[in-house]
Amino acid sequence: MLLSYRVPREPSTPRIAVWRKLKRCGAAQLGDGLVALPADARTREQLEWIAEEVVEAGGSAGVWLAHPATEAQERALAREMAAARAEEYAALGSAARAALEAGAAERARVLRRLRSQWREVTRRDFFPPPQREVAAAALHALADAGAGAGGHAAARERVTR
């Protein structure tokens, strides 16, 4: 799915809101005013909503179904999207490992925050990188540390759902 859009420069608030929504849904920036997401019902709906918002802000937008012309282009786009998620997973893993040194209350607070972030990242993870499993292991370790000696399977299970 492609979204081609143009948002007026002023006021800047709608342009920034569109940029944030595109980032939140995991869109890959192909060029100025052109983003891509894998085609499915959910991503199509997301891009259609954003396109409506652009038009309401006085801009222009169109949602397109497209296919890369070559397999190399398709692989490059998938690598770019996976790399963006890899950075996010690496940050999650680092935060989870750092929280292991904190007290029990702080570990619990950090774990709740990281679980929420995990759900956000996985919603826009279309091409899971290896860092996903590393981050999951770090979150499991943090959940185990918060659950006491030996941990609890239920606490571990909730981490990466």
Short mmCIF file of all heavy atoms in Angstrom, two decimals, residues 107-161:
data_model
loop_
_atom_site.label_atom_id
_atom_site.label_comp_id
_atom_site.label_asym_id
_atom_site.label_seq_id
_atom_site.Cartn_x
_atom_site.Cartn_y
_atom_site.Cartn_z
N ARG A 107 11.34 -2.22 39.02
CA ARG A 107 11.29 -3.27 37.99
C ARG A 107 9.86 -3.47 37.51
O ARG A 107 9.61 -3.59 36.31
CB ARG A 107 11.85 -4.60 38.52
CG ARG A 107 13.36 -4.66 38.55
CD ARG A 107 13.86 -6.08 38.75
NE ARG A 107 13.20 -6.81 39.82
CZ ARG A 107 13.66 -6.91 41.06
NH1 ARG A 107 14.79 -6.33 41.39
NH2 ARG A 107 12.99 -7.61 41.97
N ALA A 108 8.91 -3.51 38.44
CA ALA A 108 7.50 -3.70 38.07
C ALA A 108 7.00 -2.54 37.22
O ALA A 108 6.30 -2.74 36.22
CB ALA A 108 6.64 -3.86 39.31
N ARG A 109 7.36 -1.32 37.59
CA ARG A 109 6.94 -0.14 36.83
C ARG A 109 7.52 -0.16 35.43
O ARG A 109 6.83 0.04 34.42
CB ARG A 109 7.37 1.14 37.56
CG ARG A 109 6.84 2.42 36.92
CD ARG A 109 7.41 3.67 37.57
NE ARG A 109 8.83 3.85 37.33
CZ ARG A 109 9.35 4.21 36.15
NH1 ARG A 109 8.58 4.41 35.12
NH2 ARG A 109 10.65 4.37 36.02
N VAL A 110 8.81 -0.47 35.33
CA VAL A 110 9.48 -0.52 34.03
C VAL A 110 8.89 -1.64 33.18
O VAL A 110 8.66 -1.47 31.98
CB VAL A 110 11.00 -0.68 34.19
CG1 VAL A 110 11.68 -0.98 32.86
CG2 VAL A 110 11.60 0.58 34.82
N LEU A 111 8.62 -2.78 33.78
CA LEU A 111 8.05 -3.90 33.04
C LEU A 111 6.70 -3.53 32.43
O LEU A 111 6.42 -3.85 31.28
CB LEU A 111 7.93 -5.14 33.93
CG LEU A 111 7.39 -6.40 33.25
CD1 LEU A 111 8.28 -6.81 32.07
CD2 LEU A 111 7.27 -7.53 34.27
N ARG A 112 5.85 -2.85 33.20
CA ARG A 112 4.55 -2.42 32.65
C ARG A 112 4.74 -1.50 31.45
O ARG A 112 4.09 -1.65 30.42
CB ARG A 112 3.73 -1.70 33.73
CG ARG A 112 3.05 -2.65 34.70
CD ARG A 112 2.04 -1.91 35.59
NE ARG A 112 2.61 -0.80 36.33
CZ ARG A 112 3.24 -0.92 37.50
NH1 ARG A 112 3.37 -2.10 38.07
NH2 ARG A 112 3.72 0.14 38.11
N ARG A 113 5.67 -0.56 31.57
CA ARG A 113 5.94 0.38 30.47
C ARG A 113 6.49 -0.35 29.25
O ARG A 113 6.05 -0.12 28.13
CB ARG A 113 6.92 1.47 30.93
CG ARG A 113 7.27 2.47 29.84
CD ARG A 113 8.18 3.57 30.35
NE ARG A 113 9.37 3.13 31.02
CZ ARG A 113 10.49 2.76 30.41
NH1 ARG A 113 10.57 2.75 29.10
NH2 ARG A 113 11.55 2.37 31.10
N LEU A 114 7.42 -1.27 29.48
CA LEU A 114 8.03 -2.00 28.37
C LEU A 114 7.04 -2.95 27.70
O LEU A 114 7.10 -3.15 26.49
CB LEU A 114 9.28 -2.76 28.84
CG LEU A 114 10.44 -1.86 29.28
CD1 LEU A 114 11.61 -2.72 29.75
CD2 LEU A 114 10.86 -0.91 28.19
N ARG A 115 6.13 -3.53 28.47
CA ARG A 115 5.09 -4.37 27.86
C ARG A 115 4.23 -3.55 26.90
O ARG A 115 3.89 -4.01 25.82
CB ARG A 115 4.20 -5.00 28.93
CG ARG A 115 4.81 -6.17 29.63
CD ARG A 115 3.88 -6.66 30.71
NE ARG A 115 4.41 -7.88 31.30
CZ ARG A 115 4.09 -8.29 32.51
NH1 ARG A 115 3.25 -7.60 33.25
NH2 ARG A 115 4.60 -9.40 32.98
N SER A 116 3.89 -2.35 27.32
CA SER A 116 3.10 -1.46 26.47
C SER A 116 3.87 -1.11 25.20
O SER A 116 3.33 -1.15 24.09
CB SER A 116 2.74 -0.20 27.25
OG SER A 116 2.07 0.71 26.43
N GLN A 117 5.14 -0.79 25.36
CA GLN A 117 5.98 -0.47 24.20
C GLN A 117 6.12 -1.69 23.28
O GLN A 117 6.11 -1.55 22.06
CB GLN A 117 7.35 0.02 24.64
CG GLN A 117 7.30 1.39 25.27
CD GLN A 117 8.66 1.83 25.80
OE1 GLN A 117 9.64 1.09 25.77
NE2 GLN A 117 8.72 3.04 26.32
N TRP A 118 6.25 -2.88 23.87
CA TRP A 118 6.36 -4.12 23.08
C TRP A 118 5.14 -4.26 22.18
O TRP A 118 5.26 -4.55 21.00
CB TRP A 118 6.48 -5.31 24.03
CG TRP A 118 6.41 -6.63 23.33
CD1 TRP A 118 5.29 -7.38 23.08
CD2 TRP A 118 7.50 -7.37 22.76
NE1 TRP A 118 5.62 -8.52 22.40
CE2 TRP A 118 6.97 -8.54 22.19
CE3 TRP A 118 8.87 -7.14 22.69
CZ2 TRP A 118 7.74 -9.49 21.55
CZ3 TRP A 118 9.66 -8.09 22.06
CH2 TRP A 118 9.10 -9.25 21.50
N ARG A 119 3.95 -4.06 22.75
CA ARG A 119 2.72 -4.18 21.95
C ARG A 119 2.71 -3.17 20.81
O ARG A 119 2.31 -3.51 19.68
CB ARG A 119 1.49 -4.02 22.84
CG ARG A 119 1.22 -5.23 23.71
CD ARG A 119 -0.09 -5.12 24.46
NE ARG A 119 -0.15 -4.00 25.38
CZ ARG A 119 0.29 -4.02 26.63
NH1 ARG A 119 0.80 -5.13 27.12
NH2 ARG A 119 0.19 -2.96 27.40
N GLU A 120 3.15 -1.95 21.07
CA GLU A 120 3.19 -0.92 20.02
C GLU A 120 4.16 -1.32 18.90
O GLU A 120 3.84 -1.18 17.72
CB GLU A 120 3.62 0.42 20.61
CG GLU A 120 2.58 1.06 21.50
CD GLU A 120 3.10 2.32 22.16
OE1 GLU A 120 4.10 2.91 21.66
OE2 GLU A 120 2.52 2.73 23.18
N VAL A 121 5.33 -1.79 19.27
CA VAL A 121 6.33 -2.16 18.26
C VAL A 121 5.86 -3.36 17.45
O VAL A 121 5.96 -3.36 16.22
CB VAL A 121 7.71 -2.45 18.91
CG1 VAL A 121 8.69 -3.00 17.89
CG2 VAL A 121 8.26 -1.19 19.55
N THR A 122 5.32 -4.37 18.10
CA THR A 122 4.91 -5.57 17.36
C THR A 122 3.74 -5.29 16.41
O THR A 122 3.60 -5.97 15.40
CB THR A 122 4.54 -6.74 18.31
OG1 THR A 122 3.50 -6.34 19.19
CG2 THR A 122 5.76 -7.20 19.08
N ARG A 123 2.92 -4.28 16.72
CA ARG A 123 1.82 -3.93 15.80
C ARG A 123 2.34 -3.40 14.47
O ARG A 123 1.67 -3.51 13.46
CB ARG A 123 0.91 -2.86 16.44
CG ARG A 123 -0.21 -3.44 17.26
CD ARG A 123 -1.28 -2.41 17.55
NE ARG A 123 -0.81 -1.29 18.32
CZ ARG A 123 -0.82 -1.21 19.64
NH1 ARG A 123 -1.30 -2.20 20.35
NH2 ARG A 123 -0.38 -0.14 20.26
N ARG A 124 3.51 -2.81 14.47
CA ARG A 124 4.07 -2.28 13.22
C ARG A 124 5.27 -3.10 12.72
O ARG A 124 6.03 -2.66 11.87
CB ARG A 124 4.43 -0.82 13.37
CG ARG A 124 5.45 -0.51 14.43
CD ARG A 124 5.70 0.99 14.54
NE ARG A 124 6.53 1.28 15.67
CZ ARG A 124 6.08 1.71 16.85
NH1 ARG A 124 4.82 1.94 17.03
NH2 ARG A 124 6.92 1.94 17.83
N ASP A 125 5.40 -4.30 13.26
CA ASP A 125 6.51 -5.18 12.89
C ASP A 125 6.04 -6.16 11.82
O ASP A 125 5.49 -7.22 12.13
CB ASP A 125 7.02 -5.92 14.12
CG ASP A 125 8.22 -6.78 13.83
OD1 ASP A 125 8.73 -6.73 12.69
OD2 ASP A 125 8.65 -7.50 14.73
N PHE A 126 6.25 -5.82 10.56
CA PHE A 126 5.80 -6.64 9.46
C PHE A 126 6.86 -7.65 9.02
O PHE A 126 6.53 -8.65 8.38
CB PHE A 126 5.41 -5.75 8.27
CG PHE A 126 4.34 -4.76 8.63
CD1 PHE A 126 4.66 -3.44 8.89
CD2 PHE A 126 3.02 -5.15 8.75
CE1 PHE A 126 3.68 -2.53 9.24
CE2 PHE A 126 2.03 -4.25 9.09
CZ PHE A 126 2.36 -2.92 9.33
N PHE A 127 8.11 -7.39 9.34
CA PHE A 127 9.23 -8.25 8.96
C PHE A 127 10.13 -8.43 10.18
O PHE A 127 11.16 -7.76 10.31
CB PHE A 127 10.01 -7.62 7.79
CG PHE A 127 9.14 -7.27 6.63
CD1 PHE A 127 8.70 -5.97 6.43
CD2 PHE A 127 8.74 -8.25 5.73
CE1 PHE A 127 7.88 -5.64 5.36
CE2 PHE A 127 7.91 -7.93 4.66
CZ PHE A 127 7.48 -6.62 4.47
N PRO A 128 9.74 -9.30 11.12
CA PRO A 128 10.44 -9.41 12.41
C PRO A 128 11.95 -9.67 12.26
O PRO A 128 12.35 -10.64 11.65
CB PRO A 128 9.76 -10.59 13.10
CG PRO A 128 8.40 -10.66 12.47
CD PRO A 128 8.61 -10.23 11.04
N PRO A 129 12.75 -8.78 12.86
CA PRO A 129 14.20 -8.98 12.86
C PRO A 129 14.62 -9.88 14.02
O PRO A 129 13.84 -10.11 14.95
CB PRO A 129 14.72 -7.56 13.07
CG PRO A 129 13.67 -6.92 13.93
CD PRO A 129 12.36 -7.51 13.46
N PRO A 130 15.85 -10.38 14.00
CA PRO A 130 16.35 -11.24 15.09
C PRO A 130 16.32 -10.54 16.46
O PRO A 130 16.17 -11.20 17.48
CB PRO A 130 17.79 -11.56 14.69
CG PRO A 130 17.88 -11.26 13.23
CD PRO A 130 16.84 -10.23 12.92
N GLN A 131 16.41 -9.23 16.46
CA GLN A 131 16.41 -8.48 17.72
C GLN A 131 15.10 -8.64 18.48
O GLN A 131 15.05 -8.43 19.69
CB GLN A 131 16.67 -6.99 17.47
CG GLN A 131 18.08 -6.68 17.03
CD GLN A 131 18.30 -6.90 15.53
OE1 GLN A 131 17.47 -7.45 14.80
NE2 GLN A 131 19.45 -6.47 15.06
N ARG A 132 14.04 -9.06 17.79
CA ARG A 132 12.76 -9.29 18.45
C ARG A 132 12.91 -10.37 19.52
O ARG A 132 12.44 -10.22 20.65
CB ARG A 132 11.70 -9.68 17.43
CG ARG A 132 10.36 -9.99 18.07
CD ARG A 132 9.36 -10.49 17.03
NE ARG A 132 8.15 -10.92 17.67
CZ ARG A 132 6.94 -10.52 17.33
NH1 ARG A 132 6.78 -9.67 16.34
NH2 ARG A 132 5.89 -10.97 17.96
N GLU A 133 13.56 -11.47 19.18
CA GLU A 133 13.73 -12.57 20.14
C GLU A 133 14.66 -12.18 21.28
O GLU A 133 14.45 -12.60 22.42
CB GLU A 133 14.23 -13.82 19.43
CG GLU A 133 13.23 -14.38 18.43
CD GLU A 133 11.84 -14.59 19.01
OE1 GLU A 133 11.73 -15.12 20.15
OE2 GLU A 133 10.85 -14.20 18.36
N VAL A 134 15.67 -11.38 20.99
CA VAL A 134 16.59 -10.91 22.03
C VAL A 134 15.84 -10.04 23.03
O VAL A 134 15.98 -10.18 24.25
CB VAL A 134 17.79 -10.16 21.41
CG1 VAL A 134 18.69 -9.57 22.48
CG2 VAL A 134 18.58 -11.09 20.50
N ALA A 135 15.00 -9.13 22.50
CA ALA A 135 14.21 -8.26 23.37
C ALA A 135 13.21 -9.08 24.18
O ALA A 135 13.01 -8.83 25.37
CB ALA A 135 13.49 -7.21 22.54
N ALA A 136 12.59 -10.08 23.55
CA ALA A 136 11.63 -10.93 24.26
C ALA A 136 12.32 -11.64 25.42
O ALA A 136 11.77 -11.72 26.53
CB ALA A 136 11.01 -11.95 23.31
N ALA A 137 13.53 -12.14 25.19
CA ALA A 137 14.27 -12.82 26.26
C ALA A 137 14.58 -11.87 27.41
O ALA A 137 14.45 -12.24 28.59
CB ALA A 137 15.56 -13.43 25.71
N ALA A 138 14.95 -10.64 27.09
CA ALA A 138 15.24 -9.65 28.13
C ALA A 138 13.98 -9.30 28.92
O ALA A 138 14.02 -9.16 30.16
CB ALA A 138 15.85 -8.39 27.51
N LEU A 139 12.85 -9.18 28.24
CA LEU A 139 11.59 -8.90 28.93
C LEU A 139 11.17 -10.08 29.81
O LEU A 139 10.67 -9.89 30.93
CB LEU A 139 10.49 -8.56 27.93
CG LEU A 139 10.62 -7.19 27.26
CD1 LEU A 139 9.63 -7.06 26.12
CD2 LEU A 139 10.43 -6.08 28.27
N HIS A 140 11.39 -11.29 29.31
CA HIS A 140 11.09 -12.48 30.12
C HIS A 140 11.96 -12.50 31.37
O HIS A 140 11.48 -12.82 32.47
CB HIS A 140 11.30 -13.76 29.31
CG HIS A 140 10.23 -14.02 28.31
ND1 HIS A 140 8.89 -14.05 28.60
CD2 HIS A 140 10.32 -14.28 26.99
CE1 HIS A 140 8.19 -14.31 27.52
NE2 HIS A 140 9.04 -14.44 26.51
N ALA A 141 13.23 -12.16 31.24
CA ALA A 141 14.14 -12.13 32.40
C ALA A 141 13.66 -11.10 33.41
O ALA A 141 13.68 -11.35 34.63
CB ALA A 141 15.57 -11.85 31.95
N LEU A 142 13.22 -9.95 32.92
CA LEU A 142 12.73 -8.92 33.82
C LEU A 142 11.44 -9.38 34.50
O LEU A 142 11.26 -9.15 35.70
CB LEU A 142 12.49 -7.62 33.04
CG LEU A 142 12.03 -6.41 33.86
CD1 LEU A 142 13.02 -6.08 34.97
CD2 LEU A 142 11.82 -5.21 32.94
N ALA A 143 10.55 -10.04 33.76
CA ALA A 143 9.32 -10.56 34.36
C ALA A 143 9.64 -11.60 35.42
O ALA A 143 9.03 -11.62 36.50
CB ALA A 143 8.42 -11.15 33.29
N ASP A 144 10.62 -12.47 35.13
CA ASP A 144 11.02 -13.49 36.10
C ASP A 144 11.59 -12.84 37.36
O ASP A 144 11.31 -13.28 38.47
CB ASP A 144 12.06 -14.43 35.49
CG ASP A 144 11.45 -15.41 34.50
OD1 ASP A 144 10.20 -15.51 34.44
OD2 ASP A 144 12.22 -16.06 33.77
N ALA A 145 12.38 -11.79 37.20
CA ALA A 145 12.97 -11.11 38.34
C ALA A 145 11.89 -10.47 39.20
O ALA A 145 11.99 -10.45 40.43
CB ALA A 145 13.98 -10.05 37.88
N GLY A 146 10.85 -9.97 38.55
CA GLY A 146 9.75 -9.35 39.28
C GLY A 146 8.83 -10.36 39.94
O GLY A 146 8.15 -10.05 40.91
N ALA A 147 8.82 -11.58 39.43
CA ALA A 147 7.92 -12.60 39.96
C ALA A 147 8.53 -13.35 41.14
O ALA A 147 7.89 -14.21 41.71
CB ALA A 147 7.56 -13.60 38.85
N GLY A 148 9.76 -13.04 41.47
CA GLY A 148 10.40 -13.71 42.60
C GLY A 148 11.27 -14.86 42.14
O GLY A 148 11.41 -15.13 40.96
N ALA A 149 11.84 -15.57 43.08
CA ALA A 149 12.75 -16.67 42.78
C ALA A 149 12.03 -17.71 41.94
O ALA A 149 10.94 -18.15 42.28
CB ALA A 149 13.27 -17.30 44.07
N GLY A 150 12.62 -18.08 40.84
CA GLY A 150 12.03 -19.08 39.97
C GLY A 150 11.05 -18.52 38.97
O GLY A 150 10.79 -19.11 37.95
N GLY A 151 10.46 -17.37 39.25
CA GLY A 151 9.53 -16.73 38.32
C GLY A 151 8.23 -17.50 38.21
O GLY A 151 8.04 -18.55 38.81
N HIS A 152 7.33 -16.94 37.48
CA HIS A 152 6.04 -17.57 37.22
C HIS A 152 5.81 -17.61 35.72
O HIS A 152 6.03 -16.63 35.03
CB HIS A 152 4.90 -16.77 37.87
CG HIS A 152 4.98 -16.73 39.37
ND1 HIS A 152 4.80 -17.84 40.15
CD2 HIS A 152 5.24 -15.70 40.20
CE1 HIS A 152 4.92 -17.49 41.43
NE2 HIS A 152 5.20 -16.20 41.48
N ALA A 153 5.33 -18.74 35.24
CA ALA A 153 5.07 -18.89 33.81
C ALA A 153 4.06 -17.85 33.32
O ALA A 153 4.19 -17.30 32.24
CB ALA A 153 4.55 -20.29 33.51
N ALA A 154 3.05 -17.53 34.15
CA ALA A 154 2.04 -16.55 33.73
C ALA A 154 2.66 -15.18 33.54
O ALA A 154 2.31 -14.46 32.60
CB ALA A 154 0.92 -16.49 34.77
N ALA A 155 3.59 -14.79 34.39
CA ALA A 155 4.24 -13.49 34.26
C ALA A 155 5.06 -13.45 32.98
O ALA A 155 5.05 -12.45 32.25
CB ALA A 155 5.16 -13.21 35.46
N ARG A 156 5.73 -14.55 32.66
CA ARG A 156 6.51 -14.61 31.43
C ARG A 156 5.61 -14.53 30.21
O ARG A 156 5.91 -13.86 29.25
CB ARG A 156 7.33 -15.91 31.37
CG ARG A 156 8.51 -15.93 32.31
CD ARG A 156 9.23 -17.27 32.20
NE ARG A 156 9.62 -17.58 30.85
CZ ARG A 156 10.80 -17.31 30.32
NH1 ARG A 156 11.71 -16.71 31.05
NH2 ARG A 156 11.08 -17.63 29.09
N GLU A 157 4.50 -15.25 30.26
CA GLU A 157 3.58 -15.31 29.12
C GLU A 157 3.01 -13.93 28.80
O GLU A 157 2.86 -13.57 27.65
CB GLU A 157 2.45 -16.31 29.41
CG GLU A 157 1.42 -16.42 28.32
CD GLU A 157 1.98 -16.94 27.01
OE1 GLU A 157 2.98 -17.66 27.03
OE2 GLU A 157 1.40 -16.59 25.97
N ARG A 158 2.69 -13.14 29.82
CA ARG A 158 2.09 -11.82 29.61
C ARG A 158 3.06 -10.86 28.95
O ARG A 158 2.63 -9.89 28.33
CB ARG A 158 1.63 -11.23 30.93
CG ARG A 158 0.33 -11.81 31.44
CD ARG A 158 -0.22 -10.98 32.57
NE ARG A 158 0.75 -10.70 33.62
CZ ARG A 158 0.94 -11.43 34.70
NH1 ARG A 158 0.22 -12.52 34.89
NH2 ARG A 158 1.83 -11.10 35.61
N VAL A 159 4.34 -11.09 29.08
CA VAL A 159 5.34 -10.15 28.58
C VAL A 159 5.19 -9.91 27.08
O VAL A 159 5.15 -8.79 26.62
CB VAL A 159 6.77 -10.64 28.89
CG1 VAL A 159 7.80 -9.80 28.16
CG2 VAL A 159 7.02 -10.59 30.37
N THR A 160 5.13 -10.95 26.29
CA THR A 160 5.20 -10.79 24.84
C THR A 160 3.89 -11.11 24.13
O THR A 160 3.90 -11.47 22.97
CB THR A 160 6.35 -11.64 24.28
OG1 THR A 160 6.19 -12.99 24.70
CG2 THR A 160 7.68 -11.12 24.70
N ARG A 161 2.81 -10.95 24.81
CA ARG A 161 1.52 -11.11 24.13
C ARG A 161 1.13 -9.85 23.48
O ARG A 161 1.46 -8.78 23.82
CB ARG A 161 0.43 -11.49 25.13
CG ARG A 161 0.30 -12.98 25.26
CD ARG A 161 -0.95 -13.31 25.94
NE ARG A 161 -0.75 -12.94 27.35
CZ ARG A 161 -1.70 -13.04 28.26
NH1 ARG A 161 -2.87 -13.44 27.95
NH2 ARG A 161 -1.46 -12.73 29.51
#
